[in-house]
Amino acid sequence: MRLLFILKSREGNWGYASGSSGLANSVRFVVDMLTSHGIEAKAVEVQDNNCIDREVTAYRPTHVIVEAFWVVPEKFDVLKALHPRVRWIVRDHSETPFLANEGIAFGWTAAYLARGVEVMCNAPRAVGDMQVVASACAHPETLVTYGPNYYPTPSGGEINAKPMPSDVIDIGCFGAIRPLKNHMVQAIAAMAFADAAGLSLRFHVNATRVEGNGSPVLKNLREVFAASRHELVEHGWQEHADFLRLMATMDICMQVSFTETFNIVAADAMASSVPVVASSEFPWLGEYAFADPTSSKGIAALLMEIWAESDVARSYRLHRQRRDMVNYNRRSECVWLERFA
């Protein structure tokens, strides 16, 4: 087996190098895991469809995994003729509610399947939805497969929970600003918690990557914080190592989004020994970290629980986060190795 993962370069006005995107990081982690098991794998970024042939010719893979929906279906007619022995795969990184806002996603999925191009999803529920699409369009459900995420988990060593502040609390709600990321409800919950605890809040966001009609969300965040006693702290997108250093300065990480398949930001918080508040959409976290994304009151209550618990209890929470990721990774490795080892 010889796997080539291909991403589209995303250099733009977000203020970060293309290779530091969440998608690029997630692919790098899978590639590193595969190579550690002796499977030849490589990830490359290209400018557009026309660069794919060059990379495939140079690397001569058995499988090409195109990350996310950006290659027009007709391009595979050309690529399959040029490289008839290659198994072509398009990997989906989103659940249906998010894809529904991408106008090309499901039409292209049907067109990929019609050409015998495999659609690999990184979440079991997405696999089920795409299999329904395949069946409804009279294409084999076997063309829809599962290729989960992987995140390198810190191994060994004690986890020492840092004490919670009694004056100013830093809460990170990072990631691209999109409506389904639910920043506004989380900001309200963080304010309610800070007011109840007698704290000043610094609410940290990434303000340079706004997508999917997220501009009104950022505008509302700026205006409500400007009128409040709390502070909105805006960060640009960063290289992964720099972002991990920033994450380590947070007291709590919030990712109570409406839809997720994995969420690299929450995984970064786990790796940085920062407590995570998430939604039940997360496939690798346990219920102890979940809050209802529609309830600012419920989210605030979980923030208060984390802030008020003892250092020992918080350390146990951090251990559970790490253990949950270790267990997820074991399952993920089994899926990839069963297919490609």
Side-chain angles (χ1 to χ4, degrees):
M1 296 290 182
R2 192 174 173 88
L3 280 61
L4 180 63
F5 294 76
I6 301 182
L7 300 88
K8 189 177 190 301
S9 177
R10 301 195 66 182
E11 292 174 354
N13 61 353
W14 296 308
Y16 66 90
S18 182
S20 64
S21 69
L23 181 60
N25 288 327
S26 70
V27 172
R28 173 167 56 87
F29 299 148
V30 170
V31 168
D32 289 347
M33 179 269 292
L34 291 171
T35 56
S36 73
H37 287 283
I39 299 171
E40 291 187 78
K42 178 183 177 182
V44 297
E45 292 197 7
V46 299
Q47 291 296 321
D48 56 37
N49 292 327
N50 297 320
C51 301
I52 296 175
D53 171 53
R54 180 187 67 223
E55 298 293 341
V56 175
T57 300
Y59 191 64
R60 299 177 63 187
T62 58
H63 298 73
V64 172
I65 302 176
V66 175
E67 296 291 339
F69 296 92
W70 60 273
V71 176
V72 296
E74 294 77 13
K75 188 65 180 180
F76 286 107
D77 297 333
V78 177
L79 292 169
K80 291 184 74 173
L82 291 172
H83 307 281
R85 295 186 178 183
V86 170
R87 176 71 171 179
W88 296 94
I89 302 168
V90 174
R91 190 158 171 242
D92 166 30
H93 287 261
S94 302
E95 294 277 16
T96 296
F98 183 87
L99 286 181
N101 290 289
E102 299 288 325
I104 50 84
F106 289 96
W108 282 18
T109 294
Y112 292 149
L113 297 172
R115 289 168 167 80
V117 175
E118 180 181 328
V119 175
M120 175 184 282
C121 304
N122 73 332
R125 190 169 55 192
V127 171
D129 287 352
M130 287 301 187
Q131 286 177 339
V132 171
V133 172
S135 177
C137 297
H139 302 309
E141 292 185 13
T142 53
L143 281 175
V144 179
T145 58
Y146 180 44
N149 282 65
Y150 181 89
Y151 189 95
T153 310
S155 59
E158 290 296 318
I159 297 176
N160 296 312
K162 65 179 182 180
M164 283 289 166
S166 59
D167 49 2
V168 180
I169 190 163
D170 289 284
I171 295 181
C173 191
F174 296 109
I177 295 181
R178 309 182 185 111
L180 290 175
K181 288 292 186 178
N182 201 29
H183 281 79
M184 199 67 236
V185 172
Q186 293 180 82
I188 291 170
M191 287 179 172
F193 150 69
D195 287 343
L199 300 167
S200 294
L201 168 67
R202 286 194 293 248
F203 192 75
H204 298 255
V205 299
N206 292 118
T208 57
R209 185 169 168 189
V210 181
E211 300 175 348
N213 199 33
S215 295
V217 178
L218 181 57
K219 182 176 184 292
N220 278 310
L221 285 171
R222 286 169 171 167
E223 291 182 355
V224 73
F225 275 97
S228 78
R229 68 180 186 88
H230 303 294
E231 180 183 0
L232 179 67
V233 184
E234 300 184 10
H235 299 268
W237 208 265
Q238 300 178 354
E239 296 288 343
H240 191 235
D242 295 331
F243 179 69
L244 287 173
R245 284 189 284 271
L246 172 62
M247 178 62 80
T249 68
M250 297 295 111
D251 297 302
I252 299 174
C253 171
M254 298 180 74
Q255 294 288 292
V256 194
S257 43
F258 287 113
T259 178
E260 290 291 347
T261 57
F262 182 78
N263 193 290
I264 291 287
V265 170
D268 288 339
M270 176 280 304
S272 304
S273 296
V274 174
V276 177
V277 176
S279 70
S280 59
E281 289 290 296
F282 282 63
W284 58 272
L285 274 168
E287 292 184 0
Y288 61 90
F290 293 163
D292 181 353
T294 67
S295 172
S296 61
K297 183 177 180 180
I299 299 170
L302 183 51
L303 291 171
M304 181 66 77
E305 177 184 326
I306 293 171
W307 178 74
E309 63 191 3
S310 68
D311 291 347
V312 172
R314 198 174 310 110
S315 179
Y316 178 63
R317 177 183 295 273
L318 298 175
H319 276 285
R320 292 180 77 182
Q321 290 179 179
R322 184 173 295 189
R323 180 197 63 197
D324 288 349
M325 181 62 79
V326 168
N327 290 336
Y328 175 90
N329 281 342
R330 286 172 179 160
R331 296 191 298 270
S332 179
E333 281 184 308
C334 287
V335 171
W336 284 100
L337 297 180
E338 182 177 339
R339 170 78 186 271
F340 295 110

